């Protein structure tokens, strides 16, 4: 689970939430975000879980996605953060 940004022709930056399956690297969700609030991210995470099932672990960085930690624990999931330089486990959306 990661947030990336993409610029448009007017130079505005738009946030995109990506939720990937670690094993298959399948993009389960690519969602343009209006805001980066924890509740917004949680809503999209729950919608993805309803569609694809509940994972054992959520992997995020320590940015906005990392702030959903409390909610992830309430859902009974473990959160695992990646560390700078550990490209193998980085949950990045290119």
């Amino acid at each position: 689970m990661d947030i990336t940004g993409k610029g448009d022709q007017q130079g505005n930056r738009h946030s995109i939430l990506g939720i990937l399956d670690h094993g298959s690297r399948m993009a389960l969700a690519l969602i343009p975000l209006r805001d980066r609030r924890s509740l917004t991210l949680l809503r999209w995470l729950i919608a993805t879980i309803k569609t694809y099932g509940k994972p054992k672990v959520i992997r995020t960085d320590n940015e906005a996605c990392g702030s959903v930690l409390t909610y992830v624990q309430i859902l009974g999931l473990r959160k695992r953060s990646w560390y700078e330089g550990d490209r193998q486990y980085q949950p990045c959306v290119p």
Side-chain angles (χ1 to χ4, degrees), residues 30-65:
L30 290 172
I31 301 131
L33 297 173
R34 293 184 186 195
D35 61 68
R36 297 166 65 131
R37 296 180 304 159
S38 294
L39 286 177
T40 301
L41 302 177
L42 179 64
R43 285 185 185 119
W44 286 112
L45 176 60
I46 290 172
T48 304
I49 289 171
K50 285 181 180 179
T51 302
Y52 295 100
K54 186 171 140 182
K56 294 177 184 174
V57 176
I58 297 287
R59 214 171 275 232
T60 69
D61 57 15
N62 291 320
E63 197 194 347
C65 285

Side-chain angles (χ1 to χ4, degrees), residues 6-89:
K6 189 73 175 163
D8 62 19
Q9 292 178 350
Q10 291 77 31
N12 300 317
R13 191 150 175 90
H14 302 278
S15 295
I16 301 168
L17 172 66
I19 301 176
L20 308 176
D21 176 69
H22 180 69
S24 69
R25 303 303 288 169
M26 182 173 116
L28 304 179
L30 290 172
I31 301 131
L33 297 173
R34 293 184 186 195
D35 61 68
R36 297 166 65 131
R37 296 180 304 159
S38 294
L39 286 177
T40 301
L41 302 177
L42 179 64
R43 285 185 185 119
W44 286 112
L45 176 60
I46 290 172
T48 304
I49 289 171
K50 285 181 180 179
T51 302
Y52 295 100
K54 186 171 140 182
K56 294 177 184 174
V57 176
I58 297 287
R59 214 171 275 232
T60 69
D61 57 15
N62 291 320
E63 197 194 347
C65 285
S67 66
V68 299
L69 173 61
T70 304
Y71 302 113
V72 165
Q73 290 173 336
I74 290 170
L75 292 172
L77 304 171
R78 290 184 310 152
K79 178 186 175 284
R80 185 175 297 162
S81 296
W82 69 277
Y83 300 99
E84 197 69 40
D86 189 1
R87 302 297 293 181
Q88 178 182 358
Y89 296 112

